[in-house]
Amino acid sequence: MATANPFQKILTALEKPDGGEFGKYYSLPALNDPRIDKLPFSIKILLESAIRNCDEFQVKSKDVEKIIDWENTSPKQVEIPFKPARVLLQDFTGVPAVVDLACMRDAMNNLKGDSNKINPLVPVDLVIDHSVQVDVARSVNAVQANMELEFQRNKERFGFLKWGSNAFHNMLVVPPGSGIVHQVNLEYLGRVVFNTDGLLYPDSVVGTDSHTTMIDGLGVAGWGVGGIEAEATMLGQPMSMVLPGVVGFKLLGKLRDGVTATDLVLTVTQMLRKHGVVGKFVEFYGEGMSELSLADRATIANMSPEYGATMGFFPVDRVTLQYLKLTGRSDDKVALIESYLRANRMFVDYNEPQVERVYSSYLELNLNEVEPCISGPKRPHDRVTLKEMKVDWHACLDNRVGFKGFAVPKESQNKVVEFTFHGTPAQLRHGDVVIAAITSCTNTSNPSVMLGAALVAKKACELGLEVKPWIKTSLAPGSGVVTKYLQKSGLQQYLNQLGFHIVGYGCTTCIGNSGDIDDAVASAITENDIVAAAVLSGNRNFEGRVHPLTRANYLASPPLVVAYALAGTVDIDFETEPIGLGKDGKKIFFRDIWPSNEEVAEVVQSNVLPHMFMATYEAITKGNPMWNQLSVPDGTLYAWDPKSTYIHEPPYFKDMTMSPPGAHGVKNAYCLLNFGDSITTDHISPAGSIHKDSPAAKYLLERGVDRRDFNSYGSRRGNDEIMARGTFANIRLVNKFLKGEVGPKTIHIPTGEKLSVFDAAMRYKSEGHATIILAGAEYGSGSSRDWAAKGPMLLGVKAVIAKSFERIHRSNLVGMGIIPLCFKTGEDADTLGLTGEERYTIDLPSSVGEIKPGQDVTVVTDNGKSFVCTLRFDTEVMDCIMLCFFRIFISLVKFRLLQNSVVFSSLQVELAYFDHGGILQYVIRNLIKS
């Protein structure tokens, strides 16, 4: 059982310069271990957490030694516990988390009559970034109109979260309209150093959004996790993680004139993807660091999921402290941060000699070599330099369908489609831009690119350039601070003139909330098979994510978004071709509207001021009129409304018996879907808008919801009925059954009918048939992970056979009772001659005691084929989700367990989970028995 902290002897007072003390801290230098000074700063944060939380039960002295000896232990993939300082939720994932907490509270109340025990033990910041659907774009009143519409659509969801803020303690809820979660975290929520009852320690955070990593630019260790892990952490449980390797990324030199932070991040993303950083930390260092603003660093850190790293970390230095003061943190707070980090040797002072740190591998980039660029047309790491864009675009038209191809016949590539837009003749070609969006997710934390975009707009307006009226333009800042400095600079008027009105402060185009394209434009695209383009400043441009009708989607800096909107096409060479004609008929080129770095720096210096940040974030404590007027019920138990289409009690405990179903294989299952490589969780998990012809739309219509009120899958993430229908509903899903056709359909094998995936799954279930999924490599990579496992479980999927799995998704599949199997090396469905039309039997031992981790399992088909797979119950490595959830429920009712209890055995965790049909069922059964 837990004991006193064995490192109590290094608890040291941190004294103030003028007398007294800031508090006490666990001093790393007091350990007198020379290995510590060579550790990467990011690893030191893990070390401090292990020392501070060491109780020889959840965190042990041997875990501390593993981290200190990181240089030798990290290549061995050893496991350590980590207890982050706080948890960050956005409303998309916060709603399911609060739903689960409410269900847990109901279960506790029903079983034990004590529902008040469930409260987050770790501070939880929940930001309602309110996911603005860009229905109103080209309007001066766009913000107010969209906000009113969002409250009208999401009143129930917002009310549920407001109820949660009252029902659960230690949870801060940031009201809608304050900003996007990542930027609010950076500008306001990030503590850098905590002072909890006089104990000082580094801020660290796990969040339910993959781009939680933006906070790494502030020197706060943070990354995205699944909702189940976040809930476990909320309730004080350690995360189990593999001690990561750390890539040292050295930066030299300075960015050239005209090169933006976005150009830098797209370059870094491509380099790191090529290097291979999945599961690793990336830590930036070198003399070039002093040339990067904090906002530049945050832009790079935000893109960690796109280059595949757990986080891209920037240690705290003087630039960090300057940013903290700029954003309204008090002088006393900044003094504490600097004093603590210097005392614990976690601060970088480039004016002092640098200790040479050890990294797992090394990369180097001279900032002077970075060129203007964009990425696309379908992935964030497919970088294209601006000077090569036109050639690359024509290659994409030629190439076969894929990440860099559309297979447009040569004779059709120059096609011109005539249509009428609101009574005016118009034309559309391949590559024409129909959406141009400066989005909130990545770049709007960066004043240099935001004000740079505004300067481009100013120059363009003065020269007489205009944006075609059918291009859907929008500006969604990450926080209200952006509005303040754009208005103070006098530059917002020029963005407005070009149609880039502020539409709101939340997720927009990057998550698919781009709203409808004008009907005339939509018809011109669909009826003529035009490859239309979107240009956005976000970080996600996966096919089908931005808008169903934009097959080409490019990531670009905010100034480039404006430039491409003016050009009206991505089929342009900015060096040699004019963007358009000025008011005097003169050709205007890219160089005529592009501001110099000095121009941008001058505007930033004059207009980005501390009081703007302080004024903006007063709203977090004061709320806003619409939020404050929300009426929510009192009480700790939530009153579930069975008619609600937003909040629904999930069916995890429906028809559950006290006896677990036991280990079970799969008999005569049909294949629901037959996939190739790179099926991401964006393909699987419901995301973006709800298509008018989808099963989810049908469900809503049947319940009296008008099409204009469908909202997004994210907004309805608290309703399992909607989410099940939205699973595998991505319009760019490639299913081998469809013989080249793309879309969310599949074949019902017994009848040969083509049905939606949901309808086919329900037919199989009604007929009493189990289903499986065949897949290629990297199945389940990406974010939005929870519903990528929950959804298939609700559809009746019993197993997934793939070439390889993304780590967290594999664990989540097991967590939902789905068997993960891997083809043997060199084999896949194609090499084995599987069409997917067979029926599949997977024999497993009848007792979990006979199942071994990683054992061979034979799969037999009804046409006589058989092949051997590897069973991916990876129980040699502790499955933190299972362990944490069990500990949560047990701790809540104060049951005592022995450390050698079978439930804590790492060799039994996933198997016990599978034996019970899922983690929640397992926990409830053990809770009742106890």
Side-chain angles (χ1 to χ4, degrees):
M1 303 301 291
T3 62
N5 192 322
F7 294 95
Q8 200 74 13
K9 60 187 178 184
I10 65 168
L11 194 60
T12 306
L14 181 65
E15 300 192 0
K16 296 181 177 179
D18 57 353
E21 64 177 51
F22 287 111
K24 291 184 169 57
Y25 70 102
Y26 286 90
S27 171
L28 301 185
L31 289 172
N32 294 316
D33 193 319
R35 294 174 296 177
I36 294 176
D37 282 339
K38 293 185 177 181
L39 290 176
F41 287 97
S42 49
I43 297 299
K44 281 189 175 184
I45 292 175
L46 302 184
L47 174 61
E48 189 282 336
S49 175
I51 289 172
R52 176 168 37 89
N53 292 293
C54 187
D55 59 0
E56 300 297 1
F57 179 52
Q58 291 184 337
V59 183
K60 300 180 180 180
S61 296
K62 66 180 182 181
D63 298 316
V64 173
E65 172 57 26
K66 289 177 186 175
I67 302 173
I68 292 175
D69 198 34
W70 169 85
E71 185 177 358
N72 297 311
T73 54
S74 62
K76 300 176 182 177
Q77 296 285 291
V78 301
E79 191 178 356
I80 61 163
F82 176 54
K83 298 187 91 171
R86 61 189 172 97
V87 174
L88 181 69
L89 307 174
Q90 64 168 171
D91 57 335
F92 268 14
T93 45
V95 170
V98 177
V99 166
D100 287 349
L101 286 174
C103 287
M104 291 161 68
R105 181 170 278 174
D106 283 351
M108 288 292 297
N109 188 67
N110 293 334
L111 295 168
K112 298 295 178 183
D114 190 0
S115 65
N116 293 320
K117 298 284 183 167
I118 298 181
N119 277 302
L121 301 177
V122 172
V124 176
D125 300 322
L126 196 160
V127 181
I128 304 178
D129 55 14
H130 117 105
S131 309
V132 182
Q133 188 83 7
V134 187
D135 289 287
V136 181
R138 290 195 169 195
S139 165
V140 176
N141 298 316
V143 174
Q144 183 65 22
N146 278 317
M147 180 73 97
E148 290 174 358
L149 188 59
E150 285 300 300
F151 264 84
Q152 176 189 329
R153 287 173 166 171
N154 299 303
K155 182 178 180 181
E156 184 180 349
R157 179 164 58 103
F158 293 165
F160 176 68
L161 290 177
K162 189 174 181 181
W163 167 83
S165 70
N166 297 325
F168 298 104
H169 304 304
N170 210 20
M171 178 184 290
L172 170 67
V173 176
V174 178
S178 302
I180 194 171
V181 59
H182 324 117
Q183 198 159 336
V184 173
N185 194 24
L186 187 76
E187 295 176 353
Y188 180 80
L189 297 173
R191 281 72 154 180
V192 186
V193 172
F194 264 85
N195 184 351
T196 303
D197 300 326
L199 181 63
L200 309 176
Y201 52 96
D203 187 4
S204 56
V205 59
V206 292
T208 52
D209 187 274
S210 59
H211 293 104
T212 300
T213 53
M214 179 179 263
I215 199 66
D216 301 326
L218 196 68
V220 175
W223 59 85
V225 296
I228 297 175
E229 290 171 287
E231 289 172 27
T233 305
M234 285 162 54
L235 292 162
Q237 305 308 305
M239 293 174 53
S240 180
M241 62 181 289
V242 174
L243 189 59
V246 182
V247 177
F249 200 122
K250 188 174 184 179
L251 297 172
L252 305 169
K254 181 180 180 179
L255 292 175
R256 290 183 286 121
D257 196 43
V259 177
T260 69
T262 313
D263 301 323
L264 171 59
V265 74
L266 295 178
T267 302
V268 167
T269 297
Q270 187 181 50
M271 289 177 66
L272 289 170
R273 288 283 299 200
K274 183 177 180 180
H275 185 75
V277 293
V278 173
K280 298 177 182 177
F281 291 173
V282 176
E283 186 166 297
F284 294 87
Y285 69 104
E287 63 192 54
M289 290 280 284
S290 60
E291 299 295 333
L292 294 182
S293 69
L294 196 289
D296 292 344
R297 300 174 183 191
T299 308
I300 296 171
N302 186 296
M303 291 283 279
S304 294
E306 279 66 52
Y307 47 79
T310 301
M311 66 175 181
F313 187 74
F314 291 82
V316 175
D317 60 11
R318 291 191 181 280
V319 173
T320 319
L321 301 181
Q322 291 167 1
Y323 181 82
L324 291 171
K325 291 180 180 179
L326 171 67
T327 51
R329 274 79 163 196
S330 70
D331 290 342
D332 289 344
K333 174 65 175 175
V334 175
L336 180 152
I337 290 169
E338 182 175 5
S339 297
Y340 168 81
L341 293 175
R342 282 186 180 276
N344 231 0
R345 297 181 186 170
M346 293 178 167
F347 186 87
V348 181
D349 191 334
Y350 290 104
N351 294 321
E352 299 175 355
Q354 297 298 299
V355 174
E356 187 171 338
R357 301 187 184 278
V358 176
Y359 293 107
S360 307
S361 60
Y362 297 82
L363 281 174
E364 183 174 303
L365 173 65
N366 190 322
L367 300 178
N368 188 58
E369 297 172 357
V370 177
E371 297 183 66
C373 57
I374 63 177
S375 283
K378 302 181 185 182
R379 296 189 300 187
H381 54 279
D382 289 332
R383 187 178 69 95
V384 186
T385 61
L386 213 55
K387 63 186 180 185
E388 297 170 339
M389 180 56 194
K390 187 178 181 73
V391 172
D392 190 81
W393 169 252
H394 283 276
C396 288
L397 290 178
D398 286 331
N399 294 343
R400 65 184 179 87
V401 174
F403 293 123
K404 294 287 289 185
F406 299 103
V408 177
K410 281 283 188 185
E411 63 273 14
S412 302
Q413 292 183 9
N414 296 318
K415 175 169 54 178
V416 179
V417 175
E418 306 281 348
F419 70 102
T420 301
F421 180 79
H422 295 191
T424 302
Q427 294 180 335
L428 205 62
R429 297 172 175 83
H430 293 299
D432 277 4
V433 175
V434 296
I435 292 176
I438 301 174
T439 63
S440 57
C441 47
T442 308
N443 291 281
T444 58
S445 67
N446 197 325
S448 66
V449 292
M450 296 302 292
L451 287 166
L455 286 171
V456 169
K458 179 177 185 290
K459 291 173 182 286
C461 290
E462 289 173 345
L463 290 169
L465 293 178
E466 297 179 345
V467 175
K468 293 181 177 68
W470 57 82
I471 298 177
K472 188 160 192 176
T473 47
S474 61
L475 167 58
S479 82
V481 178
V482 180
T483 298
K484 288 180 171 62
Y485 63 65
L486 283 174
Q487 289 176 340
K488 183 180 184 302
S489 68
L491 295 173
Q492 180 64 57
Q493 60 174 312
Y494 300 107
L495 288 166
N496 291 348
Q497 190 173 328
L498 296 182
F500 287 94
H501 295 279
I502 294 174
V503 297
Y505 305 95
C507 286
T508 53
T509 306
C510 191
I511 191 62
N513 289 348
S514 47
D516 291 335
I517 293 174
D518 184 90
D519 287 344
V521 180
S523 296
I525 294 171
T526 55
E527 292 171 9
N528 298 279
D529 199 23
I530 290 292
V531 182
V535 183
L536 63 154
S537 68
N539 44 23
R540 290 284 170 84
N541 60 331
F542 300 124
E543 192 173 19
R545 183 181 176 106
V546 172
H547 191 281
L549 298 182
T550 58
R551 288 156 63 188
N553 302 284
Y554 286 94
L555 302 185
S557 66
L560 277 176
V561 171
V562 177
Y564 273 109
L566 290 163
T569 181
V570 297
D571 186 8
I572 184 172
D573 181 348
F574 280 144
E575 285 286 325
T576 61
E577 297 179 80
I579 282 182
L581 299 178
K583 51 192 170 185
D584 57 359
K586 181 182 176 182
K587 292 181 179 179
I588 306 299
F589 289 85
F590 179 79
R591 56 184 172 270
D592 299 324
I593 63 171
W594 199 256
S596 68
N597 286 10
E598 288 73 20
E599 287 179 272
V600 174
E602 182 181 344
V603 176
V604 171
Q605 187 70 27
S606 304
N607 296 286
V608 184
L609 304 171
H611 73 84
M612 297 176 176
F613 293 88
M614 290 183 278
T616 296
Y617 289 112
E618 283 180 0
I620 289 178
T621 53
K622 295 181 180 178
N624 60 60
M626 284 183 278
W627 172 259
N628 295 338
Q629 290 167 15
L630 281 176
S631 177
V632 297
D634 295 326
T636 58
L637 295 179
Y638 187 71
W640 303 99
D641 179 2
K643 296 180 180 178
S644 171
T645 57
Y646 276 98
I647 309 298
H648 186 260
E649 187 174 13
Y652 302 130
F653 307 124
K654 185 179 180 181
D655 299 327
M656 192 183 82
T657 61
M658 277 303 298
S659 299
H664 54 280
V666 179
K667 187 171 183 179
N668 286 329
Y670 284 101
C671 180
L672 179 64
L673 292 154
N674 187 0
F675 292 133
D677 295 342
S678 299
I679 292 296
T680 70
T681 45
D682 274 318
H683 290 106
I684 307 168
S685 185
S689 59
I690 297 173
H691 193 273
K692 62 183 179 65
D693 297 322
S694 66
K698 180 181 178 183
Y699 175 87
L700 291 171
L701 289 170
E702 289 173 348
R703 282 151 185 80
V705 178
D706 191 88
R707 184 188 166 194
R708 66 175 180 272
D709 297 320
F710 279 1
N711 218 329
S712 65
Y713 283 112
S715 67
R716 295 186 181 274
R717 212 164 183 170
N719 188 314
D720 57 280
E721 296 281 4
I722 299 290
M723 298 302 279
R725 286 163 172 78
T727 302
F728 297 114
N730 188 299
I731 64 164
R732 294 299 172 193
L733 199 69
V734 178
N735 175 11
K736 293 180 183 178
F737 284 149
L738 300 185
K739 311 295 185 186
E741 181 184 341
V742 175
K745 302 281 187 179
T746 195
I747 301 299
H748 179 251
I749 301 299
T751 62
E753 288 182 74
K754 182 167 68 175
L755 302 171
S756 72
V757 176
F758 176 79
D759 288 341
M762 292 303 101
R763 185 175 295 187
Y764 282 127
K765 287 184 76 171
S766 68
E767 295 166 347
H769 300 310
T771 56
I772 66 152
I773 289 171
L774 294 176
E778 299 178 338
Y779 182 79
S781 58
S783 57
S784 304
R785 294 186 179 104
D786 289 357
W787 273 105
K790 290 178 179 177
M793 180 274 291
L794 293 174
L795 294 182
V797 174
K798 303 301 182 185
V800 178
I801 309 175
K803 290 174 69 175
S804 62
F805 292 92
E806 189 274 339
R807 179 182 62 85
I808 296 176
H809 183 62
R810 183 213 62 80
S811 180
N812 283 348
L813 287 175
V814 177
M816 299 314 297
I818 296 174
I819 304 168
L821 294 166
C822 274
F823 291 109
K824 290 296 183 180
T825 302
E827 294 183 347
D828 58 21
D830 291 339
T831 62
L832 292 169
L834 302 174
T835 65
E837 296 179 4
E838 306 87 354
R839 298 185 71 173
Y840 295 80
T841 295
I842 303 167
D843 282 324
L844 293 181
S846 59
S847 168
V848 292
E850 300 175 33
I851 298 176
K852 306 299 179 186
Q855 76 180 55
D856 285 348
V857 170
T858 299
V859 181
V860 179
T861 67
D862 63 336
N863 63 358
K865 289 183 181 289
S866 68
F867 54 97
V868 176
C869 292
T870 302
L871 181 63
R872 288 295 307 277
F873 289 139
D874 295 350
T875 47
E876 298 95 342
V877 177
M878 181 79 73
D879 186 291
C880 64
I881 297 174
M882 173 67 176
L883 177 58
C884 289
F885 252 106
F886 185 78
R887 282 176 173 165
I888 289 167
F889 275 86
I890 296 303
S891 65
L892 289 172
V893 291
K894 297 185 177 179
F895 288 133
R896 298 183 63 185
L897 293 171
L898 298 175
Q899 288 189 59
N900 61 356
S901 170
V902 67
V903 298
F904 286 98
S905 168
S906 62
L907 292 177
Q908 298 295 322
V909 170
E910 287 194 347
L911 295 179
Y913 183 7
F914 179 65
D915 188 46
H916 283 255
I919 188 168
L920 296 178
Q921 295 87 341
Y922 172 81
V923 172
I924 290 295
R925 289 189 180 102
N926 279 275
L927 184 62
I928 295 172
K929 287 179 182 177
S930 302

